[in-house]
Amino acid sequence: AGVILEGVATSCIYTALFVGSVGCVEETGMLSKDTPRRVYICAPLLGEDMAANIERARMYARDVLLQGDIPFCPHIYFPQLADTRDPVEDGLAMDACMRFLDNCQQINVYAVPPTPGMQMEIEHAAAYGIPRVDYPDSTLHRMFRPAHKSDPCR
């Protein structure tokens, strides 16, 4: 939910949807260019080498963070909580991922073709009008947005 902070311009509504993330949404409802976007990392998890997939996803999330945005990477979080081999636990984790995805401003897709789990995330994002950015060759593309020198958090 949003919180209005006293002493700031009335043209901004500050939201804290994730711990530590505060962003400015202009009256148009669009993020200002200096506001970090919440970016969902959509990449393979299961497969021949789950550990390698988790490490690649961690690198994708790091790249998003270094661009000045806020990554949400379920690969880093949910395998620690839910057993991917248990359909009930895996389903709970996927449902939680979708709820996080609802609050993201962008989904980055890191595989072509997408896995079945990724396809569910992609379709969910499309249904909510969340913009999609494809990285089909699974390499890190560094298109950095410069951080403000006055911002000690970057």
Side-chain angles (χ1 to χ4, degrees):
V3 176
I4 304 291
L5 299 178
E6 292 185 42
V8 297
T10 57
S11 65
C12 291
I13 298 172
Y14 288 81
T15 58
L17 295 175
F18 299 115
V19 174
S21 100
V22 177
C24 177
V25 181
E26 311 226 353
E27 287 177 352
T28 62
M30 302 295 292
L31 289 173
S32 69
K33 66 180 177 176
D34 295 328
T35 300
R37 292 167 296 182
R38 291 179 306 275
V39 178
Y40 189 93
I41 306 300
C42 180
L45 174 61
L46 304 177
E48 292 179 21
D49 192 347
M50 188 168 145
N53 287 343
I54 291 170
E55 180 57 24
R56 274 192 292 279
R58 187 194 65 74
M59 290 188 313
Y60 302 148
R62 183 176 191 278
D63 189 55
V64 168
L65 181 68
L66 293 176
Q67 290 180 48
D69 290 321
I70 303 163
F72 175 69
C73 187
H75 302 67
I76 296 170
Y77 184 64
F78 286 110
Q80 297 177 60
L81 304 175
D83 184 348
T84 58
R85 297 166 297 185
D86 179 327
V88 172
E89 290 187 19
D90 194 48
L92 289 170
M94 184 57 93
D95 288 345
C97 288
M98 297 301 178
R99 298 299 72 84
F100 269 101
L101 179 53
D102 292 346
N103 293 297
C104 289
Q105 285 96 19
Q106 179 174 306
I107 183 171
N108 286 4
V109 179
Y110 292 95
V112 171
T115 66
M118 291 173 62
Q119 189 61 42
M120 287 174 32
E121 294 166 334
I122 292 166
E123 290 171 6
H124 187 86
Y128 280 80
I130 298 167
R132 171 181 171 177
V133 178
D134 290 307
Y135 296 97
D137 61 352
S138 297
T139 59
L140 297 175
H141 297 276
R142 301 191 188 287
M143 299 179 289
F144 293 99
R145 293 187 310 171
H148 293 285
K149 292 180 181 176
S150 64
D151 187 350
C153 297
R154 292 191 193 166

